[in-house]
Amino acid sequence: MTKTIDAVQDQFETFQILSEDGEVVNESAMPELSDEQLQELMRRMVYTRIWDQRAISLNRQGRLGFYAPVAGQEASMLGSQFALDKEDWILPGYRDIPQIVFHGFPLYQAFLWSRGHFQGGQIPEGVNILMPQIIIGAQIIQAAGVGLGLKKKGKKNICITYTGDGGASQGDFYEGLNFAGAYAANTVFVVQNNRFAISVPVEKQSAAKTIAQKAVAAGIEGIQVDGMDVLAVYAATQQARERAIAGEGPTLIETLTYRYGPHTMAGDDPTRYRTKDLDSEWEKKDPLVRFRKFLEKKNLWSEEQENKVVDEAKEDIKASIKKADGAPKQKVTDLINFMFEELPYNLREQLEEYTAKESK
Amino acid sequence: MAQMTMIQAITDAMRNELKNNEDVVVFGEDVGQNGGVFRATEGLQKEFGEERVFDTPLAESGIGGLAIGLGLTGFRPVMEIQFFGFVFEVFDSVAAQMARMRYRSGGVYNSPVTIRSPFGGGVKTPELHADSLEGLMYQTPGIKVVIPSTPYDAKGLLISAIRDNDPVVYLEHMKLYRSFRGEVPEEEYTIELGKADVKREGKDVSIITYGAMVHASLKAADELEKDGISAEVIDLMTISPLDIDTIIASVEKTGRAIVVQEAQKQAGIGAFVVAEINDRAILNLEAPVLRVTAPDTVFPYASAEDVWIPDHRDIVEKAKKVYNF
């Protein structure tokens, strides 16, 4: 028995292109990206790191609501999103805000979503994303449905969905993989394994050595990727995307990553469950440091460029917060109107009641 | 006009909508080749192909997620939960996802999903097949709940449910599937959701009910007539939202009402109907509004169904109590 499991697990080696020093260790797997595209990837990661720092401080000032920090996971998030076509769908979890912003969701709306304002859920037309999912795993079965819908409509597009290592323990995780496999749906599942589901370490989530190998049970492709290596994440996602639109079925991508910060800004204290040693071990793998070294060797990145992105990010955030501040005060009547296409009697009566109350 | 059983009327409604709109897709466990465990989808896969009518893996939660995803990509999903007792497995998709899609997206997205499912007792199923769980759906903002009691109503209501742009839970009482035939037009027609039907007019007492209990109530009304009591029987047809106008107009006329449901007293919608009558017509009442329900146990084992499920005698008794108050 054990031999069977070992034989499966041993096939899931971590796919890597850049070493921690920014050296190319897997030349044949290098994706075809122009210099401008490489620079854009770096720009997005730097931008997101600054945004994360600002979001944490805005949350502490009470100017932002719910926020799940992303530092450490930039390569996993942005490398995978970079492989998408504009028409592809993203079904995000609540931490996956950078992907949807770079897919076209305005930053000020991300801030409104964080504040719990209804305009934060009003996805603009032509931006194929769902609102960030709160229930762990619910998006995974929905992604099987979106992927099947795209396939049935004959679209050369995919649906990508994100969850974490904890999400891979949900029944919906397996159901989503299994449904997508059974229908060869245009779906790519990304598990960002940041090693902790709030406080519970990944070793306690499952007896499986990798999450990627869970693909085997569903009869779909699975790959484990160095999630701190943006080129590896990009290449793996691009291949999974091509397979899906060629009708070859879905792929499960596990990215090995780490969140430097707390689970969310709502009182989580990572020192209760993580050691400093583990933190510094992962900081050595930092996706920005690694990619910066790679780009510097190619003369594609400088301190000047970096500072420009930092300034740009700060300006954008300032302007976006200002725009979010300008959103109208929420009314009960706004919410009532979004319950049904046509309001039933009880809501019609309540609309009247609250219209009177709120016009006082 | 054709004579159909309720299940034939349900199949006919789906056939109509599959023909009418190429984005309608029908799926669930065993609905394809097998035509459904009750044969509700009999012949549909053969007629419309596997792309439109298809089997799913055996996982209710996955079916719910599939419906949401297909809805987002332009389809009009008609999903089957094989027995409504299995709804707990898919409750997140129904109550936390579809029901909130429009709200959560500030009106940008919707879930035009129809969830068909057999429910209700009296056919001796194993546990967790027959349960009356419609009250859970009633308590969930964002979904409509439809329960037909005749073949005619079943067809018109299902066509409306499929065309509705919000999620509709459409519950089919198993005992009514083949227990009688009724006239059903072959052409298409719709019955507006949220409207009740006065199945029998009367002036002394209103019997407000739905599902299989409509038939027990009609039988009770016949009995009451022999004793000189004229009962009005209101079939709610849609239990969420309620047709409050029809309920109140009837109570204003009769001054007396009972609410009849197969569900337990703490379940179903009886308590909500009583509360609405108190809110809106208490000064018209000549007597308290009473309820005929099953007791507050879990849905019973098959051999105990007959003593557990209310029948026309229970309805006659409560109606007389209200009449003689």
Side-chain angles (χ1 to χ4, degrees), chain B residues 100-114:
Chain B
R100 293 168 182 240
M101 185 66 81
R102 190 182 286 279
Y103 176 89
R104 189 180 282 155
S105 65
V108 171
Y109 296 127
N110 62 318
S111 266
V113 178
T114 301

Side-chain angles (χ1 to χ4, degrees), chain A residues 55-66 114-115 321 325:
Chain A
I56 288 169
S57 103
L58 286 163
N59 173 282
R60 289 191 175 129
Q61 294 162 28
R63 297 183 68 198
L64 208 56
F66 174 84
S114 158
R115 289 175 177 179
I321 280 288
D325 288 343

Side-chain angles (χ1 to χ4, degrees), chain A residues 129 152 172 175 341 345 349, chain B residues 51 61-62 109 276 280:
Chain A
I129 61 166
K152 281 183 178 296
D172 278 350
E175 290 189 26
E341 185 174 44
Y345 82 95
E349 290 175 355
Chain B
E51 280 290 309
S61 188
Y109 296 127
E276 287 286 28
R280 292 159 200 270

Side-chain angles (χ1 to χ4, degrees), chain A residues 121-123 129-131 133 135 138 141-142 145-146 149 152-153 172 175 179 183 338-341 344-345 349, chain B residues 23 51 55-56 59 61-62 65 69 73 75 92 97 102-106 108-109 142 165-166 241-242 276 280:
Chain A
Q122 290 178 319
I123 313 298
I129 61 166
L130 263 196
M131 300 69 70
Q133 181 58 250
I135 297 298
I141 46 175
Q142 294 167 14
V146 174
K152 281 183 178 296
K153 293 270 181 192
D172 278 350
E175 290 189 26
F179 271 61
Y183 296 122
F338 298 133
M339 286 305 301
F340 290 98
E341 185 174 44
Y345 82 95
E349 290 175 355
Chain B
D23 287 327
E51 280 290 309
D55 289 322
T56 62
S61 188
T73 43
F75 289 93
D92 181 65
Q97 307 294 329
R102 190 182 286 279
Y103 176 89
R104 189 180 282 155
S105 65
V108 171
Y109 296 127
N165 287 329
D166 288 299
L242 291 167
E276 287 286 28
R280 292 159 200 270

Side-chain angles (χ1 to χ4, degrees), chain A residues 46-268:
Chain A
V46 172
Y47 187 109
T48 302
R49 180 68 59 91
I50 297 299
W51 160 17
D52 189 64
Q53 290 163 0
R54 288 294 302 139
I56 288 169
S57 103
L58 286 163
N59 173 282
R60 289 191 175 129
Q61 294 162 28
R63 297 183 68 198
L64 208 56
F66 174 84
Y67 185 70
V70 301
Q73 297 188 206
E74 294 91 344
S76 285
M77 292 174 161
L78 301 166
S80 52
Q81 192 279 328
F82 204 66
L84 303 183
D85 179 80
K86 175 75 182 150
E87 298 292 310
D88 290 343
W89 276 81
I90 302 179
L91 269 53
Y94 47 75
R95 201 183 305 280
D96 305 307
I97 313 298
Q99 298 97 305
I100 59 174
V101 165
F102 285 106
H103 208 58
F105 188 53
L107 189 56
Y108 85 94
Q109 283 191 284
F111 291 151
L112 284 172
W113 181 82
S114 158
R115 289 175 177 179
H117 192 288
F118 76 91
Q119 288 186 349
Q122 290 178 319
I123 313 298
E125 205 176 327
V127 181
N128 288 343
I129 61 166
L130 263 196
M131 300 69 70
Q133 181 58 250
I134 298 297
I135 297 298
I136 308 289
Q139 70 274 33
I140 303 173
I141 46 175
Q142 294 167 14
V146 174
L148 178 61
L150 293 169
K151 182 179 171 166
K152 281 183 178 296
K153 293 270 181 192
K155 297 265 166 94
K156 292 290 172 201
N157 286 103
I158 64 154
C159 174
I160 192 168
T161 188
Y162 295 87
T163 190
D165 37 310
S169 295
Q170 287 279 9
D172 278 350
F173 173 77
Y174 177 71
E175 290 189 26
L177 263 58
N178 191 55
F179 271 61
Y183 296 122
N186 296 6
T187 308
V188 174
F189 303 95
V190 178
V191 174
Q192 297 183 74
N193 175 0
N194 66 18
R195 310 206 65 79
F196 292 90
I198 302 189
S199 68
V200 179
V202 67
E203 294 78 16
K204 288 188 180 168
Q205 290 291 341
S206 176
K209 205 167 85 184
T210 70
I211 291 171
Q213 76 196 58
K214 290 175 186 253
V216 175
I220 68 171
E221 280 298 323
I223 181 171
Q224 188 184 64
V225 183
D226 181 343
M228 309 300 259
D229 173 357
V230 73
L231 293 181
V233 175
Y234 171 82
T237 313
Q238 193 201 31
Q239 283 162 26
R241 185 181 184 280
E242 277 170 14
R243 277 178 34 76
I245 59 177
E248 291 166 29
T251 303
L252 169 63
I253 299 172
E254 174 190 13
T255 66
L256 298 180
T257 183
Y258 201 74
R259 75 168 140 79
Y260 297 154
H263 164 65
T264 70
M265 294 306 294
D268 178 46

Side-chain angles (χ1 to χ4, degrees), chain B residues 3-47:
Chain B
Q3 290 283 318
M4 289 187 198
T5 61
M6 193 164 100
I7 197 135
Q8 286 170 332
I10 286 166
T11 313
D12 199 44
M14 282 189 275
R15 182 182 294 111
N16 191 82
E17 289 311 280
L18 281 159
K19 264 188 208 156
N20 175 58
N21 182 346
E22 63 178 18
D23 287 327
V24 170
V25 282
V26 173
F27 54 93
E29 296 156 6
D30 305 294
V31 308
Q33 171 87 9
N34 194 43
V37 292
F38 286 100
R39 307 289 175 260
T41 51
E42 178 90 28
L44 296 181
Q45 188 178 69
K46 205 172 169 195
E47 190 173 344

Side-chain angles (χ1 to χ4, degrees), chain A residues 1-11:
Chain A
M1 268 313 272
T2 313
K3 277 183 183 161
T4 312
I5 294 166
D6 286 344
V8 170
Q9 292 186 153
D10 291 348
Q11 290 176 44

Side-chain angles (χ1 to χ4, degrees), chain B residues 5-214:
Chain B
T5 61
M6 193 164 100
I7 197 135
Q8 286 170 332
I10 286 166
T11 313
D12 199 44
M14 282 189 275
R15 182 182 294 111
N16 191 82
E17 289 311 280
L18 281 159
K19 264 188 208 156
N20 175 58
N21 182 346
E22 63 178 18
D23 287 327
V24 170
V25 282
V26 173
F27 54 93
E29 296 156 6
D30 305 294
V31 308
Q33 171 87 9
N34 194 43
V37 292
F38 286 100
R39 307 289 175 260
T41 51
E42 178 90 28
L44 296 181
Q45 188 178 69
K46 205 172 169 195
E47 190 173 344
F48 297 97
E50 272 191 64
E51 280 290 309
R52 310 274 315 277
V53 180
F54 52 94
D55 289 322
T56 62
L58 200 166
E60 287 78 17
S61 188
I63 295 170
L66 202 68
I68 293 167
L70 287 167
L72 288 168
T73 43
F75 289 93
R76 197 162 277 277
V78 181
M79 61 174 262
E80 179 177 302
I81 301 175
Q82 197 161 60
F83 291 90
F84 205 54
F86 309 165
V87 73
F88 298 108
E89 292 288 322
V90 62
F91 212 74
D92 181 65
S93 281
V94 179
Q97 307 294 329
M98 292 173 200
R100 293 168 182 240
M101 185 66 81
R102 190 182 286 279
Y103 176 89
R104 189 180 282 155
S105 65
V108 171
Y109 296 127
N110 62 318
S111 266
V113 178
T114 301
I115 300 167
R116 284 186 43 250
S117 190
F119 86 117
V123 293
K124 311 245 184 274
T125 57
E127 196 188 356
L128 281 163
H129 285 63
D131 291 39
S132 295
L133 301 170
E134 67 274 15
L136 299 176
M137 297 291 116
Y138 179 87
Q139 287 213 6
T140 306
I143 43 183
K144 297 176 184 174
V145 187
V146 173
I147 303 179
S149 73
T150 70
Y152 178 87
D153 297 345
K155 179 173 172 179
L157 287 166
L158 185 52
I159 292 176
S160 292
I162 294 170
R163 293 180 185 180
D164 201 277
N165 287 329
D166 288 299
V168 179
V169 173
Y170 180 95
L171 298 176
E172 304 163 3
H173 199 291
M174 283 183 269
K175 204 172 179 185
L176 301 181
Y177 268 154
R178 292 185 172 83
S179 57
F180 66 99
R181 284 171 189 273
E183 287 195 343
V184 177
E186 275 159 59
E187 63 272 20
E188 70 168 46
Y189 59 95
T190 57
I191 296 174
E192 192 183 344
L193 305 187
K195 292 284 177 222
D197 184 37
V198 179
K199 286 280 192 286
R200 176 187 172 123
E201 288 195 22
K203 58 182 176 52
D204 296 328
V205 58
S206 306
I207 303 176
I208 301 156
T209 188
Y210 57 96
M213 285 294 121
V214 169

